[in-house]
Amino acid sequence: MRIGVLTGGGDCPGLNAVIRAIVRKGVQDHGHDFIGFKDGWRGPLHGSAVPLGIPAVRGILPRGGTILGSSRTNPFKEPDGVRRITENLAEHGVDALIAIGGEDTLGVAARIGGEYGVRCVGVPKTIDNDLSATDYTFGFDTAVNIATEAIDRLHTTAESHMRVLVVEVMGRHAGWIALHSGLAGGANVILVPEVRFDVDEVCGWVTSRFRASYAPIVVVAEGAMPQDGDLVLKNAATPLDSFGHVRLSGVGEWLAKEIESRTGKEARTTVLGHVQRGGTPSAFDRWLATRFGLHAISAVHEGDFGAMVALRGADIVRVPLADATARLKTVPLALYEEAKTFFG
Amino acid sequence: MRIGVLTGGGDCPGLNAVIRAIVRKGVQDHGHDFIGFKDGWRGPLHGSAVPLGIPAVRGILPRGGTILGSSRTNPFKEPDGVRRITENLAEHGVDALIAIGGEDTLGVAARIGGEYGVRCVGVPKTIDNDLSATDYTFGFDTAVNIATEAIDRLHTTAESHMRVLVVEVMGRHAGWIALHSGLAGGANVILVPEVRFDVDEVCGWVTSRFRASYAPIVVVAEGAMPQDGDLVLKNAATPLDSFGHVRLSGVGEWLAKEIESRTGKEARTTVLGHVQRGGTPSAFDRWLATRFGLHAISAVHEGDFGAMVALRGADIVRVPLADATARLKTVPLALYEEAKTFFG
Amino acid sequence: MRIGVLTGGGDCPGLNAVIRAIVRKGVQDHGHDFIGFKDGWRGPLHGSAVPLGIPAVRGILPRGGTILGSSRTNPFKEPDGVRRITENLAEHGVDALIAIGGEDTLGVAARIGGEYGVRCVGVPKTIDNDLSATDYTFGFDTAVNIATEAIDRLHTTAESHMRVLVVEVMGRHAGWIALHSGLAGGANVILVPEVRFDVDEVCGWVTSRFRASYAPIVVVAEGAMPQDGDLVLKNAATPLDSFGHVRLSGVGEWLAKEIESRTGKEARTTVLGHVQRGGTPSAFDRWLATRFGLHAISAVHEGDFGAMVALRGADIVRVPLADATARLKTVPLALYEEAKTFFG
Amino acid sequence: MRIGVLTGGGDCPGLNAVIRAIVRKGVQDHGHDFIGFKDGWRGPLHGSAVPLGIPAVRGILPRGGTILGSSRTNPFKEPDGVRRITENLAEHGVDALIAIGGEDTLGVAARIGGEYGVRCVGVPKTIDNDLSATDYTFGFDTAVNIATEAIDRLHTTAESHMRVLVVEVMGRHAGWIALHSGLAGGANVILVPEVRFDVDEVCGWVTSRFRASYAPIVVVAEGAMPQDGDLVLKNAATPLDSFGHVRLSGVGEWLAKEIESRTGKEARTTVLGHVQRGGTPSAFDRWLATRFGLHAISAVHEGDFGAMVALRGADIVRVPLADATARLKTVPLALYEEAKTFFG
């Protein structure tokens, strides 16, 4: 059996661990043969592939990124996309495909499997931990550890100068990284996309922290928004319009400025950015990614196409690919309220 | 309401995070009053206590160890133990007790609650992750990260000298740390207490790794045993008899020597020891410990005595204290077999 | 003898290690008595002080920041500043002062000592490593380690998406952090304030890296400037004008945009910011800071006022405070040329 | 010009960084050609070599160990050793040799150069930092950081159980790692090979630490010896005789047992072992190793054979190979006395 593997979407620590586990188990236990498609769905679309044997996966377990490259290419948006893919798969003699990716990448796998009969198994990947079908995804724990370590460091500099430090972390639609790293780092305010924040309330928490003779750390997800969203647009429009990704990570800067002007306290911003998604995976992410890989190849071997592997408690289970990407897993309000014990 | 808190058994990263969460929520949300008993059950036994307000828990979130100290004292083995405890609790005006600990500490809580009416809530703690009632316990993730980082480092020194490196990790009765860190660190052999190992089979894996021009890493839990257990005793008896804890951590040394003599390859041992259980907790452990603390105080507040908090998937639930410690959670054979994909 | 201690300027990992060493040695070996002035020169200016005995310095060795707080207050710019300081020192019975700080803080110490007879000893502190009188200053090694770890992480994300990653690090006037972390992290371009850069040359290195099928990392000191400086001002004026500190850290953003438009390759920026100066010091910085503290108290004890401690090779020496801050230590051109071996 | 490179002796973080710098600069700036000899002097002895171009050194900067392998082979102890080496060098067309290693490896280079005209340049390597000709060697800073982090972790477990923790670190003949990590980690006793220790004095420091209500950390170099050395031999003979390397690392175990029996306090030992010399180098070690490599190739290019590169302050200089290994650099008594401020 010849199996194709591809990784799509933003990179994430643990992708290489998944690839390694798939190939090690597939070759050793089942005698399968592997081919790696380059750059997500762009690979099968353009017939761009590399051999993927045991030597290719040696030593990649601890390495971040993906040896297969990645892209956000969607074959359904390319002329003749699906036909080109099925032809290229046939030409390479590929019997089944393992797609490792997030909502978009797996959405393509679900549809190309369901509508066009391409035999796919999915492995979920989202650094934001926002897929509802699995308790956790790999990469998330690494990102949370990196953000937490940064918050640890920022506490000391905040205290020394009695300044507000605003830390902007990843999370456009879900606040998991902000919530976990904020709690783990002992932040005094945590702002998530799920709950619009009131700047005056934030300033209240900041002020109360200063009154206790400590300096506040505010952790804000990049997708968090103030209650009056227009305010951001009005302020942000001019200074941040020209650079795409600055605008996306603008809430931290904006908030620091607001806090400074409303409380009279100095405020500084740190935007953690890409360091959160690069580098060696944490032990948990290596473990989860490895187990996802082992179970994905088992699903292929057993012909359970259309399935995605998922974590439930400490077990790996299979769920339908189609369901998997149906609903965004956001931070429940009750959990956010729980965290408020530590605000201010 | 005045609530006593104690931590018992071996120390574990995250204990302070539990204490902080209990006190922050208890004081702020419910107006409770706290007292910290020193050194596990020895505290209420001797009436040794310290005040435990918000100032006492400032800044302790990232710190390993426990500000309350710990011990393995069991009041049921002390003359008049239970009576002295109930008297001391009454004298200090304690209405309820939160016991943070492992099998022994919580076993006392279950019995003293069930038989003598002391109102207890439990928080599970075991660095070995071997409590059946909860998916994970705090401290375990930190230990696995430390062991994994050590294995990462040992790979390079093994390769440079083409030596076998045996890494002995914690785990007397359960091999979770060995299994997780071994998988995450890319070990070539993982040995756990649950499955007696065959030294010749281990040597086979070692030799096969050398044949592929790589140097093997063998991760062995301190409680792992060869198939012929008498062999260990015979060999270990003389050289290791005089130091209690050397004998306990002797399997790594013994195995390295056996591998050396049977394969003719140089073998070295590293015993990670206490570094695995000290220092700042990982982000996951801080998160879990914090949530355990928040839910423990809720259980007390709601009068749900005899309960223990536990992790199920991403949720915190309550289980009966008595059940909680009933059964050791060991590594299932199927999971161990899964890991064998990477042996050799 | 009663000795005052103060820390001035930006915070820096290792300040607490200096304070601890001073107090431990001063109290134990010499029987001196200590007082800590708060927030740099603002402390003696306002008579704001705290007791500084052995208990106050327990456990602070591994902690970033400064337990004494810091500020940039310059008594020579305050009405009656020097007189108020000498009065407050007399009132607190202070016989000598140890000032820990950078150019500004030590400049005050030199002048207040030289012109007004205040008995001062200096300990150099600059995270940028730009004081000419000492081989290294504490805090620098920590900052370089943090920046290097970030660059390590960014490599994998750059490779996965074949993007340019621009990393902006500290260094307004000297490029030491950029040079050391860029070399240690395997950057493909390093830009320092000492040498104006040619954007087209930078783009040439970037393109050559892509031709070798790798993705480039560009490390840029916050004070680095393009050859045509007006260009930056023109471009930066509008988008970055409104936030003071964004303008200061604008070169990374600006450069990424230029690279993107000139090479057609995606470019992203990470501004490391305050995480570089917070948190626990590296082992080297703790060692250096501790030794600086021990030698500072010896200088005071021996009456060697007007001296500053400094590192020469592996030795701690004393140099005149006045000389110490006379000349900025910048990256020599020859050293920068050496690094160019790895450009492109 | 064709240049051979070899790495000898124990492995050390930074070896790969040296190799990479040599090859990058040699190929790009000078058009030299490289060959890598395998496993130290065993490589030229047996004519075992690999090509060493730019592709071979891609990505090795952050990796511990050495891609060339290492051994302790001494050609002067092999039959016809020198003749075989000169023949093999001639056969491979090697014009000059860069030897990276410690006392033994460089001693061979000095002699084979001086007596037999083999054109050699040396790069010093000793994780113990005990070469007198250079301020620091790479690998040392990494080892000190690892040991310091371990000590940080052990503090919390010592405090929680009020136990003595003895940490044995590397250093057979020189106590640099013990001294630096002990100072940086806030140890309460530091024992080095240069100064025989008095067990009763050690117990005095331990007891005084407990009196202050803290738990002591004792850092001991593997080569440290009690004043009455026979005592160790007598005690160690029986229990530790059977395993070669256990005997070498026995002082920690022995001391913990002595402390326990003399003070009545529980004592535990951690032997850090090989983790200290493996894994990714610290930023400082990458920087130093890279600069050593760049300067070594310059020395070869300029025909300065018989030279070794060395660090003086922040500069790289050249010294004669013969002098370089003449004298062991041990911890000066004055420096050790300085550290005693923190004992007890």
Side-chain angles (χ1 to χ4, degrees), chain C residues 167-197:
Chain C
V167 192
E168 187 179 303
V169 299
M170 287 189 300
R172 295 222 178 134
H173 307 295
W176 292 107
I177 291 177
L179 188 69
H180 277 238
S181 65
L183 265 185
N188 309 102
V189 181
I190 301 170
L191 305 174
V192 296
E194 290 86 348
V195 182
R196 289 206 166 219
F197 62 86

Side-chain angles (χ1 to χ4, degrees), chain A residues 6-11 15 39-41 69-72 99-102 105 125:
Chain A
L6 64 84
T7 54
D11 71 314
L15 286 168
D39 302 332
W41 287 106
S70 189
S71 76
R72 300 192 186 277
I100 312 165
T105 305
K125 179 232 61 156

Side-chain angles (χ1 to χ4, degrees), chain A residues 9-11 13 15 39 63-67 69-72 142 146 149-154 156-161 163 165 238-240 242-243 245-246 253-254 256-257 260 267-281, chain C residues 9-11 13 39 63-67 69-72 142 146 149-154 156-161 163 165 238-243 245-246 253-254 256-257 260 267-281:
Chain A
D11 71 314
L15 286 168
D39 302 332
R63 284 202 229 146
T66 162
I67 58 166
S70 189
S71 76
R72 300 192 186 277
T142 304
I146 293 170
E149 198 193 310
I151 297 169
D152 279 359
R153 292 198 173 275
L154 294 171
T156 63
T157 198
E159 296 296 344
S160 299
H161 295 281
R163 272 177 194 158
L165 272 169
T238 323
L240 299 168
S242 41
F243 312 133
H245 68 292
V246 169
E253 286 293 342
W254 178 85
K257 194 162 158 277
E260 213 167 85
R268 292 285 180 274
T269 310
T270 292
V271 182
L272 289 183
H274 288 84
V275 291
Q276 292 166 90
R277 68 184 323 138
T280 196
Chain C
D11 70 314
D39 303 332
R63 286 202 228 148
T66 163
I67 57 167
S70 188
S71 76
R72 300 192 186 278
T142 304
I146 293 170
E149 198 194 311
I151 297 169
D152 279 358
R153 291 197 173 276
L154 293 172
T156 64
T157 198
E159 297 296 344
S160 299
H161 296 281
R163 274 178 191 157
L165 273 169
T238 322
L240 299 167
D241 220 0
S242 41
F243 312 133
H245 68 292
V246 170
E253 285 292 341
W254 177 84
K257 191 160 160 279
E260 213 167 84
R268 293 285 180 274
T269 310
T270 293
V271 182
L272 289 183
H274 288 84
V275 290
Q276 293 165 92
R277 68 184 324 140
T280 195

Side-chain angles (χ1 to χ4, degrees), chain D residues 93-232:
Chain D
V94 170
D95 300 302
L97 207 51
I98 299 178
I100 312 165
E103 222 181 332
D104 295 342
T105 305
L106 297 185
V108 170
R111 200 170 152 201
I112 214 169
E115 299 176 18
Y116 300 89
V118 175
R119 309 201 300 175
C120 289
V121 162
V123 175
K125 178 233 62 153
T126 148
I127 204 155
D128 291 339
N129 198 36
D130 56 3
L131 280 183
S132 57
T134 182
D135 283 355
Y136 291 103
T137 42
F138 58 86
F140 171 68
D141 184 60
T142 304
V144 171
N145 273 311
I146 292 170
T148 301
E149 198 193 310
I151 297 169
D152 279 358
R153 291 196 174 276
L154 293 171
H155 271 294
T156 63
T157 197
E159 296 296 344
S160 299
H161 297 279
M162 288 312 262
R163 272 178 193 158
V164 185
L165 272 169
V166 177
V167 192
E168 187 181 303
V169 299
M170 287 189 301
R172 295 221 179 134
H173 308 294
W176 292 108
I177 292 178
L179 187 69
H180 277 238
S181 66
L183 266 185
N188 309 102
V189 181
I190 301 171
L191 305 174
V192 297
E194 291 85 348
V195 182
R196 289 205 166 221
F197 61 86
D198 173 346
V199 181
D200 286 325
E201 195 182 24
V202 170
C203 290
W205 287 318
V206 159
T207 307
S208 117
R209 175 79 178 168
F210 276 119
R211 263 201 305 271
S213 295
Y214 290 88
I217 302 283
V218 177
V219 173
V220 55
E222 59 186 330
M225 292 281 276
Q227 281 175 352
D228 183 355
D230 293 349
L231 188 67
V232 174

